[in-house]
Amino acid sequence: MDFAKITEDKIKEAIQRNDLENLPGMGQPLELKDDFPGMSEEWKMAYRVLKNAGYSPEDVKKEIFRIEELLDSTTDENEKRRLQAKLKKKRLEMDRLLEKRGTATNSRFGSYAEKIYNRLK
């Protein structure tokens, strides 16, 4: 299945139906700000998908990223345990926020979120 062709066909159909007229932000410059400088492209994409879907609160995800960076760079075992506990707490907080937003009832998001979490480990 050629997704590029399908995508192009869908865009052409939307243009013919005038579905792309008067969209919010039309004629405005795109905001291409890098929200996660220093983060790998895979992580950026995963967080961007979550953010665009309305499932990833900025403060929690940035804190998770920061803790993971610290965890990767530390060699002190006590510090690693402390950071792992803090990371677990933040991930639980993220899960609660996702559940609060109704993702527990959205089976498609649940499987998608699990894939993202596994990819980011």
Side-chain angles (χ1 to χ4, degrees), residues 59-71:
D59 55 339
V60 177
K61 73 180 175 183
K62 285 181 180 179
E63 183 70 11
I64 288 172
F65 175 64
R66 191 180 69 74
I67 294 169
E68 287 172 336
E69 281 185 324
L70 290 171
L71 191 57

Side-chain angles (χ1 to χ4, degrees), residues 48-89:
R48 204 172 292 123
V49 167
L50 287 171
K51 177 182 176 184
N52 291 342
Y55 293 110
S56 185
E58 289 292 320
D59 55 339
V60 177
K61 73 180 175 183
K62 285 181 180 179
E63 183 70 11
I64 288 172
F65 175 64
R66 191 180 69 74
I67 294 169
E68 287 172 336
E69 281 185 324
L70 290 171
L71 191 57
D72 286 343
S73 64
T74 189
T75 56
D76 182 343
E77 289 303 316
N78 289 332
E79 182 67 5
K80 276 189 180 188
R81 282 193 292 280
R82 187 186 72 74
L83 289 170
Q84 286 169 338
K86 189 172 183 178
L87 182 59
K88 183 178 179 179
K89 182 180 175 186

Side-chain angles (χ1 to χ4, degrees), residues 22-32:
N22 300 318
L23 293 174
M26 186 172 175
Q28 301 296 318
L30 294 174
E31 185 178 322
L32 301 174

Side-chain angles (χ1 to χ4, degrees), residues 2-17 20:
D2 184 9
F3 289 108
K5 173 133 177 58
I6 293 170
T7 303
E8 190 171 328
D9 290 344
K10 293 290 183 185
I11 292 171
K12 286 179 183 177
E13 289 172 15
I15 290 171
Q16 289 174 348
R17 290 190 311 265
L20 303 178

Side-chain angles (χ1 to χ4, degrees), residues 97 106 120:
L97 289 168
N106 185 337
L120 297 178

